[in-house]
Amino acid sequence: MRNCKNVGYYLIGKNSLNELKNLLDARRTNSKIVVFAIDHYFKGKDLEKKLFVDKNKDIVIYVDTTHEPKTEYIDGYVQLIKSKCKSKLPDAIVGVGGGSTLDSAKAISVMLTNPGKTENYQGWDLVKKPAIYKIGITTLSGTGSESSRTAVLTSKIKKLGINSDQSVFDQIILDPVFQDTVPKEQFIYSAMDCFVHNVESLSGTANDAFTIAYAEKSLELLREIFSGKMDYEKLMVASYYGGLAVANSNVGICHPLSYGLSLVLGYHHGIAISLTFNQLEEYYPLVKDFKKILKKYNVELPKGIMKDVSKEKIEAMIDATLLNEKPLSNAFGPDWRQKFTREKIRSLLLKM
Ligand code: ZN
């Protein structure tokens, strides 16, 4: 049986970000250095000034989220931090951003104390040494990165998370102050990621009474959001619950398939998930609701995206999908290889 770990502490609500100073002051005990991993979108913006960065000591890394986080980026960040901290380690890591940035912060905290290359830790429970204390501040909700035990990264041939108890945030701050920074399409794609986490968790075999309760409540909150006005605080809770549901059960068919799109074609997670989920009605009846939501918000998914993609790239996407044994076994059972063949994956990809 798996012993499930959740986030240690959370702060939620307007102005909860103001508590960050006290949290960090309490941590500045050894090197007194804090590392901030901030989405590059916020560089020079007003919100950055609200993060209590000590300009004399702290290290700020702007996470370039143009592409999804790669293991080599993490190796680079870790090297940079180690060279700036000399022989010491930072007292805390603060991640500020959406899923890509939060996952980067999680991976940095793990890799500062564990030897070797980041790609060696992509998988399940491969992290042996305790990570650095870390705080996650979400600026875009939906991915569930704030509550999950995974830091999803791409390396040369795989998109796979560092799934470990050491990747879980010690503290999160959910302050709706960031909601105005999110464009509509990104809001929808990200909320759809949350929607899919719940659907995959509920329809798999790895769930339990806990994860079912989280996923059902998260879906209920999403339905309220999509039938009324956008409510960012509700979305933050839906995202958190969806992340918990999926972290303590597993994803299903959509995530593995979407990883091929991200790895080979460079699509960001939210849109890759939407493009993929759109084709999975035979497995997930709730795809109907998903299509209605896209229509309601006038979000048009790109069409014919595989038109000019080479056969080799399609095969590479199939390989990337098939690496995800645990999620696919969660979705189809132990004989998943017979049920989800290369041909089936190819036909789904070619419909996109
Ligand atoms: Zn996801």
Side-chain angles (χ1 to χ4, degrees), residues 286-298:
L286 285 180
V287 172
K288 272 197 200 79
D289 294 14
F290 159 83
K291 287 180 176 169
K292 277 186 207 153
I293 295 164
L294 288 191
K295 207 167 168 198
K296 179 175 173 185
Y297 288 96
N298 290 321

Side-chain angles (χ1 to χ4, degrees), residues 142-144 193-194 196-197 200 246 251 255 258-259 269 273:
T143 67
D193 187 23
C194 177
V196 172
H197 291 158
E200 287 183 298
V246 89
V251 285
H255 274 72
S258 82
Y259 288 168
H269 186 61
I273 282 291

Side-chain angles (χ1 to χ4, degrees), residues 18 25 41-43 49 80 104 135 141 151 167 176 181 194 216 225 237 254 270 279 281 329 349 352:
N18 295 344
D25 285 349
Y41 171 84
F42 294 105
K43 190 173 182 177
K49 294 178 196 135
L80 177 88
S104 298
I135 300 177
S141 282
S167 328
T181 64
C194 177
E216 284 179 347
I225 293 165
V237 178
C254 187
Q279 301 301 338
E281 206 165 324
S329 158
L349 287 170
M352 291 178 195

Side-chain angles (χ1 to χ4, degrees), residues 15 54 59 91 97 171 185 278 296 320:
N15 299 326
D54 183 335
I59 300 168
D91 286 332
Q171 167 83 53
E185 297 218 334
N278 197 37
K296 179 175 173 185

Side-chain angles (χ1 to χ4, degrees), residues 22-88:
N22 290 336
L23 292 171
L24 292 180
D25 285 349
R27 289 282 151 185
R28 294 183 190 274
T29 50
N30 294 315
S31 66
K32 309 209 172 14
I33 301 167
V34 173
V35 172
F36 289 83
I38 305 172
D39 186 326
H40 69 159
Y41 171 84
F42 294 105
K43 190 173 182 177
K45 300 226 164 86
D46 274 354
L47 281 168
E48 204 190 336
K49 294 178 196 135
K50 298 185 177 176
L51 296 173
F52 309 102
V53 177
D54 183 335
K55 289 206 168 93
N56 296 317
K57 293 197 202 86
D58 294 342
I59 300 168
V60 176
I61 290 169
Y62 293 104
V63 178
D64 188 345
T65 52
T66 316
H67 305 290
E68 297 225 288
K70 294 185 167 61
T71 54
E72 57 190 289
Y73 297 172
I74 305 300
D75 290 334
Y77 298 144
V78 168
Q79 214 173 15
L80 177 88
I81 295 164
K82 281 186 172 168
S83 72
K84 288 198 173 181
C85 288
K86 309 271 171 359
S87 55
K88 295 171 188 162

Side-chain angles (χ1 to χ4, degrees), residues 93-250:
I93 313 288
V94 180
V96 186
S100 294
T101 309
L102 295 185
D103 281 1
S104 298
K106 285 152 93 172
I108 290 168
S109 86
V110 165
M111 292 313 300
L112 276 168
T113 53
N114 285 275
K117 288 196 157 197
T118 306
E119 64 180 30
N120 299 338
Y121 296 90
Q122 284 178 289
W124 282 267
D125 300 305
L126 303 171
V127 179
K128 299 291 176 246
K129 294 190 178 165
I132 307 271
Y133 171 89
K134 53 191 161 297
I135 300 177
I137 301 172
T138 56
T139 64
L140 169 65
S141 282
T143 67
S145 171
E146 67 280 14
S147 53
S148 79
R149 69 193 294 272
T150 187
V152 183
L153 302 166
T154 54
S155 51
K156 276 181 207 79
I157 56 153
K158 57 190 171 192
K159 176 171 175 176
L160 193 63
I162 300 176
N163 296 273
S164 80
D165 284 352
Q166 294 306 325
S167 328
V168 181
F169 279 113
D170 299 285
Q171 167 83 53
I172 56 168
I173 299 177
L174 306 174
D175 189 327
V177 68
F178 296 102
Q179 62 181 319
D180 295 334
T181 64
V182 184
K184 182 191 80 178
E185 297 218 334
Q186 216 176 349
F187 186 102
I188 298 290
Y189 288 143
S190 193
M192 281 308 150
D193 187 23
C194 177
F195 188 87
V196 172
H197 291 158
N198 298 320
V199 171
E200 287 183 298
S201 176
L202 286 170
S203 24
T205 53
N207 53 24
D208 57 37
F210 235 76
T211 61
I212 290 168
Y214 281 134
E216 284 179 347
K217 186 66 194 176
S218 177
L219 270 184
E220 188 188 313
L221 287 167
L222 286 175
R223 288 210 169 95
E224 283 172 27
I225 293 165
F226 289 127
S227 62
K229 73 174 179 59
M230 294 279 187
D231 183 327
Y232 200 69
E233 208 161 300
K234 263 186 197 167
L235 180 62
M236 291 194 296
V237 178
S239 170
Y240 181 84
Y241 278 10
L244 280 183
V246 89
N248 294 332
S249 58
N250 216 324

